[in-house]
Amino acid sequence: MNSRAHTPPLPYYEDVSPGTGCLPPRAWASGSDAARLSLGGTWAFRLSPTAGTEDDSFARPGYDASGWGEIPVPAHWVLHGHGAPIYTNVNYPFPVDPPRVPTENPTGDHLRVFDLPGDWPAAGEAVLRFEGVESCARVWLNGEELGTFKGSRLPHEFAVGRLLKPSGNVLAVRVHQWSSGSYLEDQDQWWLPGIFREVTLLHRPAEAVTDFFVHASYDHLSGAGTLRVDAEPGGGRVTVPELGLDLATGESSSVAVEPWTAETPRLYEGTLTTAGETIALRIGFRTVVVEDGVFKVNGRRVLFRGVNRHEFHPETGRALDLATMRRDLELMKRHNINAVRTSHYPPHPAFLDLCDELGLWVIDECDLETHGFVDLDWRNNPVDDDRWTPALIDRAARMVERDKNHPSIVMWSLGNECGTGRGLSAMAGWIRERDASRVIHYEGDLSCADTGIYSRMYAPHEEVAQIGTRTEPPWGDPALDARRRALPFIQCEYAHAMGNGPGGLSEYQRLFETHERLQGGFVWEWIDHGFARYTPNGTRYYAYGGDFGEELHDGNFVCDGLLFPDRTPSPGLAEYKKVIEPVRIEGDGSSGTVRITNGHDFTDLSHLAFTWTYEAEGVAVGSGELTVPPLVPGESADLKLPAPEATAPGEETRWTIEARLAADTAWGEAGHQVAWAQLPGVAATPAAAAPAAVTAPVAPRRDGVRITLGPGTFDAATGALTELGGLTLTGPRLDVWRAPTDNDNGASWQPDERYGLIWRELGLHRLQHRVDAVDLADRALTVRTRVAPAAADIGLTAVYRWTAEGDRLRLAVSVTPLGTWTCPLPRLGVRLGVPAELGAAEWFGGGPGEAYPDTRAASRLGRWAMPVDELQTPYVRPQENGARADVRWARLTGPDGTGLRVEGHPPFWFTARRWTSEQLDAAEHTPDLVASPDTVWINLDHGQQGIGSQSCGPGVLEPYRLLAAPAEFSFTFGRLS
């Protein structure tokens, strides 16, 4: 006898079906005049440890839930004191036995009793709509079961008209944290169960619109837009007053229009009217094609300057309000971002309305990822198991049908990191048949068998260059390989923005702009997913994986965004804005010429106002407007700058050219900076001047345990500077350690260049300093040292040569490597401590934010000032931060104006903070950093290792590696009084 015949059927939350009882998916219609009732607010809530702990009696009218707790809807119950979030990147937080899930399956029962409004129509149908529930729901209304559904970030509707009554309606929803659907939602984010998007009751009048599809194409040759709106049922009318259109549904008409693009998001207001309903339309005319191996919109190649965006808020998780969505998009536009990939699921539909309005290209991604099967060699992967195909097609259909009327969407993405399989092909076939007007995207199949674009993640610069020239190595079946080579290319993920970084953006952008096939990419990702938490004294910090007691987690890999969790832009976002700016400004400042190139895809430069500023030693000495013609995309103009202002002999001069919005837009105010560049100024002509007084060098003197040299006092045994003009100092001495960044530590699958781990293994965080000689000769104090880690035979000799002139001390440092160094250095410079009251910093160099060798595009030369405490970048996991590039001089002063001035030759990297690099390295969260009560620590670096993107992407490019090699550099110290 076959024992399997007696195996009981799986419960609904474990079967592979998409659910039962739901209506067919349809278009999102935010502008309907039909009645609607929000069912959000406070619901009764009960959490059970398993799916079967409680029966379904709670769904019956009259059930006494007075002993239950309460929860807001939308919300995640783990953010309201019921359980805890879990973060994993790849691994499932439960045994992989599809479609089965653990018995320990937290289950939240939700109850809402509601009355119909007094003006709720008596006739017609009604629909109960859920925008998003994680991960499986069973629904009852007034005691009758409506059905079940999976697909957490997709809409589901039930017909409920016959069940409604004027008052006392009981809506019951049982939500399971784990279900078979969880295997399809392994999406590198927090697992957050609950009803996290809106629940709405929608009236559906007789002869209301069941579904509609707006087809609005654009012919770039004739300038005509063609409109056709298909609707169910037919017989309605479509009007667009501005265009003089009045059409029957299903009828098409062509008329001259202004096209929709991400740069010019032109929308035409219209209506779709039937006998029972009027729906407001916002129509954007545009046409998407792949032509001659290039992705084009309205006949022009598009360059994606994009980001990947998870939905996240540090207090509410994926339950976002409209203001937060708008803020995200306004921040994107203000930072020159023109595209969003909705990783890894369709966003809240209102977000797409805003993309239409403000103008962003969108890759809309299906709610699908099975990444946890990768370490199992993709065994039992649902996307290659025919039993799961109906669920996959259901997810594709719910995405496409809901979002099909958004002009901002130019690609449908099948999902993310699912391997390959028949189910993906079935999804692609369904989408292609339903909507041939967009390109299909999927990164996980290098054959590109089902896609219209070649997409990769984290391809290194060298490979991207090969792809750009179509010389990449062959792969797989020759026919498919030839097809792939003919496709346009994007990096759907690149430049991993985890912690300090990402580096290497400029080099990628140059490739994208050079090769037509390379059509840009999407930085991973938009925002750090850190949950706000507070110390006992009320200090806020952000929690990441492992902070909630998870058995399995991926740490702070969830904090890899261009925004901090509170939506403060990170230095990485400032860098990205500069790298992708759509106006290129170049020139020869010494000859007074500048070239302006329009890098937009569609718009001319008439919306921008250009200015120039002439600066000497970082101070503006002249400024004015620069007249730039309204260049069309790709066009350049060479312009003459005005005659520069006279400056003092020897002063460093510089032109700063800026492009700003000439008028307010929907996302930025007039004067918002779009692009800028700095050009070296005209070389100053030396002028006749009285010879400067020359101060003879001062000889050092040994006095017992002290050595004095000019304004400096040194320890006679070690040669260490202890005072400068009465100012107590610690050091300076050679320093090569930095608190490793996430990119220094690298990804586990890239072991050879995980330099943070290599540096620690070598012991660079615990160097020992041996003094070999303290010599007084030739009016100089020379200190010879050997700096090396324990248990190793590599090291560095550091020779400090001190001289004094007047009230200033000069330090010349000479460094020579010892032994065989097989890795670059973290940094190379000196570290010193100054009194804690010197808390105000001023410098002439790069700013205002931090910069490193491969993240310095946004560093602007000037005079900057801010408190030492504001020099820090508060990465969610503390790490090296806060360096300022190209510093000529820096000052640290106290409230009375006294302090220390440092000049460097050559220009140096300047860092100041109230804790040491070792203390920074030891911290796990920002409150772990406790300010020293008596010391500000300063790093004056001759060199810094670059940052790279190796927390997931490529490492530090060769030009930005700080190799162990002989080096010489100097600093001059002066006491400010």
Side-chain angles (χ1 to χ4, degrees):
M1 180 180 293
N2 185 354
S3 61
R4 294 178 64 88
H6 298 282
T7 301
L10 294 176
Y12 65 91
Y13 53 86
E14 286 188 322
D15 69 35
V16 297
S17 75
T20 59
C22 292
L23 293 169
R26 64 191 181 101
W28 163 256
S30 59
S32 169
D33 66 350
R36 63 174 52 212
L37 174 65
S38 171
L39 297 178
T42 301
W43 291 43
F45 179 75
R46 174 183 66 188
L47 184 66
S48 302
T50 74
T53 300
E54 301 285 351
D55 62 23
D56 59 8
S57 60
F58 79 101
R60 301 170 194 160
Y63 180 86
D64 181 9
S66 60
W68 289 21
E70 293 182 340
I71 196 169
V73 171
H76 305 280
W77 69 65
V78 293
L79 301 182
H80 290 270
H82 306 281
I86 301 170
Y87 167 61
T88 61
N89 169 29
V90 175
N91 296 314
Y92 292 103
F94 47 79
V96 181
D97 182 24
R100 306 300 302 279
V101 295
T103 299
E104 294 77 16
N105 186 0
T107 295
D109 290 332
H110 301 69
L111 272 178
R112 172 78 153 86
V113 179
F114 66 93
D115 300 334
L116 295 179
D119 59 353
W120 189 265
E125 181 55 82
V127 166
L128 179 64
R129 182 180 177 93
F130 295 85
E131 298 294 348
V133 181
E134 183 175 330
S135 75
C136 174
R138 185 180 179 191
V139 185
W140 296 262
L141 182 62
N142 292 329
E144 182 165 329
E145 182 172 347
L146 303 179
T148 65
F149 63 87
K150 311 178 190 87
S152 298
R153 283 151 282 277
L154 294 163
H156 295 84
E157 293 182 330
F158 298 96
V160 297
R162 64 183 180 80
L163 299 175
L164 289 174
K165 53 187 182 179
S167 62
N169 293 283
V170 178
L171 175 58
V173 185
R174 171 163 285 175
V175 180
H176 305 286
Q177 174 156 13
W178 308 122
S179 71
S180 59
S182 301
Y183 286 99
L184 305 180
E185 296 171 6
D186 186 23
Q187 294 156 320
D188 185 13
Q189 59 177 333
W190 295 98
W191 300 86
L192 299 173
I195 305 173
F196 67 94
R197 289 182 185 162
E198 294 85 354
V199 181
T200 312
L201 184 67
L202 305 172
H203 181 242
R204 306 308 299 140
E207 299 187 70
V209 177
T210 303
D211 194 15
F212 65 101
F213 196 164
V214 177
H215 304 272
S217 61
Y218 178 73
D219 185 335
H220 66 279
L221 297 177
S222 68
T226 300
L227 177 66
R228 185 185 85 246
V229 178
D230 296 331
E232 301 173 10
R237 297 206 67 80
V238 176
T239 61
V240 186
E242 188 176 354
L243 297 176
L245 293 177
D246 185 351
L247 308 172
T249 53
E251 181 184 357
S252 65
S253 180
S254 297
V255 63
V257 298
E258 299 172 43
W260 188 98
T261 74
E263 294 170 7
T264 56
R266 181 67 161 94
L267 294 172
Y268 290 89
E269 303 293 332
T271 58
L272 166 61
T273 303
T274 67
E277 183 179 20
T278 296
I279 294 175
L281 305 177
R282 297 198 307 173
I283 302 165
F285 292 87
R286 57 107 188 94
T287 294
V288 176
V289 298
V290 172
E291 184 177 73
D292 299 325
V294 177
F295 178 89
K296 297 180 180 180
V297 179
N298 301 340
R300 297 190 64 87
R301 172 186 182 261
V302 167
L303 183 61
F304 294 111
R305 301 170 168 94
V307 292
N308 288 274
R309 175 188 176 269
H310 270 297
E311 292 185 309
F312 185 77
H313 189 281
E315 303 282 355
T316 61
R318 283 190 288 278
L320 297 188
D321 59 13
L322 187 62
T324 298
M325 298 179 215
R326 180 176 285 275
R327 182 180 176 190
D328 276 347
L329 287 171
E330 289 174 346
L331 278 169
M332 290 179 194
K333 295 288 287 188
R334 290 170 189 163
H335 287 85
N336 295 327
I337 290 164
N338 72 355
V340 178
R341 175 177 173 234
T342 69
S343 53
H344 296 295
Y345 42 82
H348 190 288
F351 180 81
L352 298 172
D353 285 342
L354 291 171
C355 290
D356 295 342
E357 175 189 330
L358 298 177
L360 281 101
W361 309 115
V362 176
I363 298 179
D364 197 4
E365 192 147 273
C366 195
D367 192 11
L368 175 62
E369 180 171 340
T370 63
H371 204 175
F373 288 89
V374 65
D375 292 334
L376 307 176
D377 296 324
W378 298 107
R379 290 190 306 275
N380 299 316
N381 184 7
V383 304
D384 200 29
D385 183 335
D386 291 338
R387 295 175 301 166
W388 293 78
T389 297
L392 302 183
I393 292 178
D394 178 76
R395 289 176 181 240
R398 291 188 181 279
M399 171 183 69
V400 171
E401 300 295 7
R402 188 196 75 169
D403 297 344
K404 57 184 177 279
N405 295 321
H406 291 283
S408 56
I409 298 173
V410 293
M411 295 188 205
W412 300 117
S413 180
L414 300 179
N416 184 68
E417 293 176 318
C418 295
T420 59
R422 299 182 298 274
L424 291 170
S425 296
M427 292 169 68
W430 188 95
I431 293 173
R432 195 171 287 113
E433 182 175 349
R434 179 58 172 148
D435 177 27
S437 70
R438 295 175 171 97
V439 171
I440 294 178
H441 168 274
Y442 179 63
E443 174 272 340
D445 183 1
L446 291 181
S447 75
C448 300
D450 296 315
T451 70
I453 198 158
Y454 177 27
S455 177
R456 289 286 301 281
M457 293 181 182
Y458 308 106
H461 299 76
E462 181 180 2
E463 183 182 359
V464 172
Q466 292 176 332
I467 293 170
T469 55
R470 303 184 193 273
T471 58
E472 68 268 32
W475 184 90
D477 177 83
L480 288 174
D481 183 65
R483 181 178 182 276
R484 174 175 57 86
R485 288 172 184 273
L487 294 176
F489 175 82
I490 62 169
Q491 289 250 57
C492 69
E493 292 180 22
Y494 82 115
H496 198 248
M498 186 176 179
N500 188 335
L505 286 171
S506 296
E507 289 72 21
Y508 272 125
Q509 194 66 19
R510 282 197 289 271
L511 290 169
F512 297 158
E513 292 174 354
T514 299
H515 303 289
E516 185 180 50
R517 184 189 187 191
L518 306 180
Q519 298 198 238
F522 297 77
V523 167
W524 186 268
E525 64 165 302
W526 178 237
I527 189 169
D528 287 343
H529 302 199
F531 280 117
R533 292 295 180 266
Y534 297 86
T535 65
N537 68 0
T539 300
R540 185 175 64 178
Y541 68 99
Y542 295 102
Y544 47 78
D547 287 337
F548 298 94
E550 305 101 304
E551 293 180 351
L552 186 71
H553 65 85
D554 285 293
N556 71 311
F557 203 73
V558 76
C559 295
D560 45 14
L562 294 169
L563 296 182
F564 296 124
D566 64 356
R567 285 180 160 73
T568 299
S570 74
L573 183 56
E575 179 79 358
Y576 193 40
K577 175 188 176 182
K578 181 70 180 78
V579 167
I580 62 175
E581 58 190 16
V583 179
R584 190 161 62 248
I585 305 172
E586 305 162 304
D588 182 355
S590 62
S591 65
T593 59
V594 62
R595 167 169 286 194
I596 309 294
T597 302
N598 183 359
H600 290 88
D601 295 325
F602 296 93
T603 63
D604 65 24
L605 297 187
S606 59
H607 66 293
L608 299 177
F610 289 79
T611 60
W612 62 268
T613 304
Y614 195 64
E615 299 158 357
E617 297 297 303
V619 177
V621 295
S623 62
E625 296 180 358
L626 184 67
T627 301
V628 177
L631 304 171
V632 299
E635 189 178 10
S636 299
D638 293 310
L639 307 173
K640 190 70 176 174
L641 294 167
E645 300 288 330
T647 57
E651 287 189 320
E652 184 175 0
T653 60
R654 195 163 296 267
W655 297 95
T656 299
I657 314 299
E658 296 180 283
R660 297 179 177 271
L661 289 180
D664 292 348
T665 69
W667 49 266
E669 296 180 350
H672 167 78
Q673 185 191 78
V674 173
W676 63 273
Q678 289 187 310
L679 309 173
V682 177
T685 302
V694 177
T695 304
V698 179
R701 297 194 319 275
R702 189 187 300 269
D703 180 13
V705 297
R706 297 187 307 170
I707 296 172
T708 58
L709 176 62
T713 301
F714 299 80
D715 182 286
T718 65
L721 178 66
T722 59
E723 286 188 13
L724 176 67
L727 184 69
T728 301
L729 299 176
T730 303
R733 69 176 186 176
L734 191 73
D735 190 18
V736 302
W737 178 247
R738 74 184 188 193
T741 68
D742 292 313
N743 287 303
D744 288 338
N745 287 333
S748 60
W749 56 89
Q750 299 170 310
D752 294 342
E753 294 185 6
R754 300 185 71 185
Y755 290 129
L757 280 60
I758 293 169
W759 294 334
R760 198 180 302 278
E761 185 177 353
L762 283 174
L764 299 190
H765 60 306
R766 47 175 174 78
L767 293 178
Q768 299 181 21
H769 297 251
R770 186 184 74 205
V771 178
D772 289 336
V774 179
D775 298 328
L776 281 64
D778 300 326
R779 296 184 175 270
L781 166 62
T782 303
V783 183
R784 304 179 188 280
T785 69
R786 185 180 190 274
V787 183
D793 62 355
I794 62 170
L796 302 158
T797 61
V799 179
Y800 309 96
R801 187 174 189 275
W802 291 95
T803 56
E805 292 186 5
D807 60 355
R808 304 202 308 169
L809 279 178
R810 183 176 185 273
L811 170 62
V813 183
S814 176
V815 180
T816 305
L818 299 172
T820 302
W821 286 80
T822 58
C823 66
L825 298 172
R827 68 177 350 128
L828 181 64
V830 296
R831 177 167 68 178
L832 69 153
V834 302
E837 57 265 26
L838 304 189
E842 182 183 3
W843 71 98
F844 174 32
E850 73 180 25
Y852 289 82
D854 54 350
T855 65
R856 62 193 297 175
S859 181
R860 176 168 167 169
L861 192 69
R863 289 200 187 190
W864 310 101
M866 64 182 65
V868 166
D869 296 334
E870 293 182 15
L871 292 173
Q872 315 312 307
T873 303
Y875 293 112
V876 171
R877 185 192 73 81
Q879 55 197 271
E880 167 62 32
N881 72 89
R884 268 59 181 182
D886 303 315
V887 176
R888 278 69 167 156
W889 56 257
R891 298 177 182 139
L892 286 173
T893 56
D896 62 355
T898 63
L900 176 70
R901 175 184 167 105
V902 184
E903 299 172 14
H905 184 77
F908 58 97
W909 304 86
F910 168 62
T911 309
R913 46 185 167 239
R914 297 188 183 276
W915 38 77
T916 65
S917 295
E918 291 76 16
Q919 292 168 324
L920 183 61
D921 182 26
E924 296 293 332
H925 299 88
T926 50
D928 297 337
L929 294 168
V930 179
S932 168
D934 51 21
T935 307
V936 168
W937 294 98
I938 305 171
N939 279 93
L940 310 172
D941 290 318
H942 176 64
Q944 278 269 3
Q945 166 80 348
I947 297 297
S949 187
Q950 205 189 6
S951 52
C952 193
V956 177
L957 294 174
E958 195 69 37
Y960 308 116
R961 299 186 182 190
L962 181 60
L963 302 181
E968 294 184 353
F969 48 94
S970 66
F971 302 100
T972 301
F973 300 90
R975 175 81 157 90
L976 298 173
S977 58

